């Protein structure tokens, strides 16, 4: 197994005396900034003029500056705005003001790997990618634990890039759970594939297909929602906690038998072939090119698909059930 890094592997002084700037204060930005602050780092939040996040960041006890002004004094700049906005923002508000010998950091490798951001040669370029959503990065930190993370070094101008990456990962709580070293390419390609083929695209399509199959066969929509959508989290929680075998020990033998016999009928060799096609599109840049072009042209296809998906027949059923399940 690849080496995992934990708290004892970290030089706790690596961020000492350094000005850390977090660009963006969304789901990941707020978690990183607050965790760093609570770990004793000198943190400033960088936002654009008129950002609605300014009041929230200041209410959380964090100083806020305009991005260009913050980068001028930064020793480490972590970019945590959306992938599709990073390149333009970098060109105007970060690149002209980066100090030689400073660190440029990312939580996802998209813009570096696909050449949308070309960093200068005299800065370190690192990645610290928590394997969980921002709110969980924050809540687990407050529980004296953390979300595991990946680190990667794209450019080591100072000779201390890895030391900095580990210290940053430690300060957001990731070394409590474990940190694995990878590359920008591997993180980007596996992350995109996981999102598309399994975690988001694959799982959502599977749940919707199951729901539609039951409803079209005349079963109650609420039953279909519980069986094909609501219970997904319960099963996944068992898998995440202790693996597939443990999950199968927790379900009935009837369910386990159905798992073995029906699973291969759903995820057929043809489905896996489609997955390989998805991976190829990611590896050769086709997906990145399409997504970049989609954003440059105002997102017409993306917005149309978003509207269509919100109108799926399971959405009102799910909303009604969730409202009734909430504690009063």
């Amino acid at each position: 197994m690849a080496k995992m890094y934990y708290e004892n592997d970290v030089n706790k002084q690596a961020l000492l005396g350094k000005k850390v700037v977090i660009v963006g204060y969304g789901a990941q930005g707020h978690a990183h900034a607050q965790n760093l602050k609570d770990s004793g780092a000198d943190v400033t939040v960088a936002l654009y003029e008129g950002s609605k996040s300014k009041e929230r960041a200041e209410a959380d006890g964090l100083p806020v500056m305009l991005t260009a002004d913050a980068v001028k004094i930064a020793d480490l700049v972590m970019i945590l705005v959306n992938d599709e906005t990073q390149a333009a923002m970098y060109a105007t508000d970060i690149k002209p003001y980066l100090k030689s010998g400073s660190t440029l950091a990312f939580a996802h490798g998209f813009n570096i790997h696909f050449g949308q951001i070309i960093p200068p040669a005299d800065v370190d370029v690192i990645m610290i990618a928590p394997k969980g959503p921002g709110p969980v990065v924050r809540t687990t930190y407050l529980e004296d634990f953390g979300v595991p993370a990946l680190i990667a070094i794209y450019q080591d101008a100072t000779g201390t890039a890895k030391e900095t990456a580990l210290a940053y990962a430690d300060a957001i709580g990731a070394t409590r759970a474990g940190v694995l070293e990878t590359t920008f390419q591997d993180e980007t390609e596996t992350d995109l594939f996981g999102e598309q083929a399994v975690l988001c695209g694959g799982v959502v399509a599977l749940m919707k297909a199951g729901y539609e199959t039951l409803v079209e066969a005349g079963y109650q929509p609420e039953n279909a929602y519980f069986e094909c959508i609501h219970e997904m989290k319960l099963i996944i929680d068992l898998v995440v906690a202790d693996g597939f075998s443990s999950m199968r020990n927790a379900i009935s033998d009837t369910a386990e038998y159905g798992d073995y016999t029906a699973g291969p009928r759903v995820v057929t060799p043809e489905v896996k072939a489609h997955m390989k096609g998805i991976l190829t599109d990611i590896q050769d840049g086709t997906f990145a090119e399409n997504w970049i072009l989609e954003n440059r042209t105002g997102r017409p296809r993306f917005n149309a698909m978003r509207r269509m998906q919100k109108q799926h027949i399971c959405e009102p059923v799910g909303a009604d059930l969730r409202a009734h399940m909430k504690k009063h």
Side-chain angles (χ1 to χ4, degrees), residues 18-167:
K18 291 185 177 180
K19 170 71 73 174
V20 179
V21 168
I22 302 297
V23 182
Y25 204 67
Q28 285 289 336
H30 92 274
H32 285 233
Q34 290 184 61
N35 290 6
L36 285 158
K37 174 176 172 286
D38 289 350
S39 293
D42 181 3
V43 186
T44 295
V45 174
L47 300 171
Y48 61 85
E49 183 73 56
S51 171
K52 295 178 181 178
S53 297
K54 183 174 187 292
E55 289 186 8
R56 182 185 175 199
E58 290 178 337
D60 289 334
L62 291 153
V64 177
M65 298 177 67
L66 293 177
T67 302
D69 294 334
V71 172
K72 291 175 185 177
I73 62 170
D75 297 300
L76 188 155
V77 178
M78 167 60 88
I79 302 179
L80 291 174
V81 296
N82 290 349
D83 288 335
E84 64 273 14
T85 65
Q86 285 187 17
M89 182 271 299
Y90 171 81
T92 58
D93 294 337
I94 295 179
K95 181 180 178 181
Y97 310 108
L98 273 176
K99 296 190 303 185
S100 178
S102 63
T103 300
L104 185 64
F106 299 83
H108 180 39
F110 186 97
N111 280 279
I112 291 290
H113 178 55
F114 291 115
Q116 299 305 294
I117 291 177
I118 308 296
D122 60 349
V123 302
D124 290 346
V125 182
I126 64 175
M127 176 169 55
I128 305 94
K131 292 292 95 183
V136 180
V137 173
R138 180 59 178 160
T139 56
T140 53
Y141 178 93
L142 293 174
E143 294 165 356
D144 292 323
F145 194 54
V147 169
L150 300 175
I151 62 165
I153 312 304
Y154 181 78
Q155 191 165 280
D156 188 5
T158 67
T160 59
K162 184 173 179 179
E163 187 176 73
T164 301
L166 283 171

Side-chain angles (χ1 to χ4, degrees), residues 183-257:
T183 66
F184 271 67
Q185 177 178 350
D186 284 5
E187 184 278 336
T188 302
E189 293 175 355
T190 57
D191 187 73
L192 292 174
F193 176 81
E195 291 169 350
Q196 295 173 30
V198 182
L199 303 177
C200 303
V203 165
V204 171
L206 181 66
M207 290 191 290
K208 284 168 49 184
Y211 176 89
E212 291 167 0
T213 299
L214 288 178
V215 171
E216 289 165 7
Y219 294 98
Q220 202 173 19
E222 291 79 7
N223 282 3
Y225 189 90
F226 275 131
E227 295 299 336
C228 297
I229 300 175
H230 176 77
E231 289 193 43
M232 176 68 78
K233 179 182 183 304
L234 309 180
I235 295 298
I236 294 301
D237 283 347
L238 293 171
V239 173
V240 171
D242 288 300
F244 292 127
S245 294
S246 179
M247 176 273 289
R248 286 165 174 150
N249 287 336
I251 62 178
S252 70
D253 287 355
T254 306
E256 185 178 358
Y257 179 72

